[in-house]
Amino acid sequence: MKIFGLSGHSGSGKTTLMVKLVPLLTAKGLTVSTIKQANSGFDADKPGKDSYLHREAGAKEVLVASAKRWALMHEYRDEPEFTMDQLLARMSAVDLVLVEGFRQWPHPRIEVWRQAVGKPPFFPDDPQVVAVASPDQPDGLDRPLLDLDDAGGIARFMLENLGF
């Protein structure tokens, strides 16, 4: 599976761009999955639900399934957070995995940056950033600047970068 990511500060537009890219890439015949980094307080479950009670009781994993989808919740408990390879091994094989966040992982990525967010870009210190998608021109930019409003152009850049 090929991997490509989006990074950027909260509020920069990573998720908005991601949900534009997925249908563009699948329309080209690619199978696409996504991984999204969440904050440490994230919980997909709801207190009081049976699956939540299973986890609360000490189950290491809880798989919830219906006729339309299934979800596996894994409690780290005393384990370290999984690596990129460990998480990818739990996913079905696809052509492309798009990653939102996880800047510590070694994969090429586009930084989504907006001056209005008021935070400096990551690209000067992150060699994995292969381009910046922005409506603004960041100071010191030494790699391609992509129009954040041109999801088609960003998708083409990603595919070319990955050799598709």
Side-chain angles (χ1 to χ4, degrees), residues 37-54:
Q37 186 174 30
N39 66 43
S40 60
F42 160 79
D43 196 339
D45 216 349
K46 295 180 181 173
K49 291 293 191 180
D50 293 347
S51 52
Y52 187 93
L53 297 173
H54 293 192

Side-chain angles (χ1 to χ4, degrees), residues 3 34 37 50 78 89 91-92 97 99 102 119 121 128 135 138 156 160-162:
I3 303 163
T34 65
Q37 186 174 30
D50 293 347
D78 295 327
M91 298 181 79
S92 299
V97 176
V99 178
F102 291 104
K119 296 189 177 174
Q128 299 292 342
R156 283 189 297 281
E160 289 170 12
N161 188 275
L162 292 168

Side-chain angles (χ1 to χ4, degrees), residues 4-110:
F4 203 96
L6 298 177
S7 65
H9 293 286
S10 179
S12 62
K14 298 180 303 294
T15 300
T16 299
L17 179 56
M18 181 76 80
V19 299
K20 290 178 181 178
L21 290 172
V22 171
L24 290 172
L25 295 165
T26 58
K28 293 186 178 297
L30 297 173
T31 54
V32 178
S33 291
T34 65
I35 298 179
K36 164 125 177 72
Q37 186 174 30
N39 66 43
S40 60
F42 160 79
D43 196 339
D45 216 349
K46 295 180 181 173
K49 291 293 191 180
D50 293 347
S51 52
Y52 187 93
L53 297 173
H54 293 192
R55 290 174 36 229
E56 197 172 56
K60 185 167 183 71
E61 291 188 326
V62 177
L63 193 140
V64 181
S66 73
K68 294 195 179 250
R69 71 187 51 88
W70 63 270
L72 177 64
M73 290 171 279
H74 177 95
E75 293 295 313
Y76 285 124
R77 306 224 186 265
D78 295 327
E79 297 173 83
E81 185 177 356
F82 282 175
T83 65
M84 178 177 73
D85 290 337
Q86 288 172 306
L87 288 174
L88 290 171
R90 295 182 179 284
M91 298 181 79
S92 299
V94 294
D95 298 316
L96 176 60
V97 176
L98 294 177
V99 178
E100 184 176 334
F102 291 104
R103 287 186 301 114
Q104 76 279 14
W105 288 3
H107 62 279
R109 56 185 145 265
I110 292 171

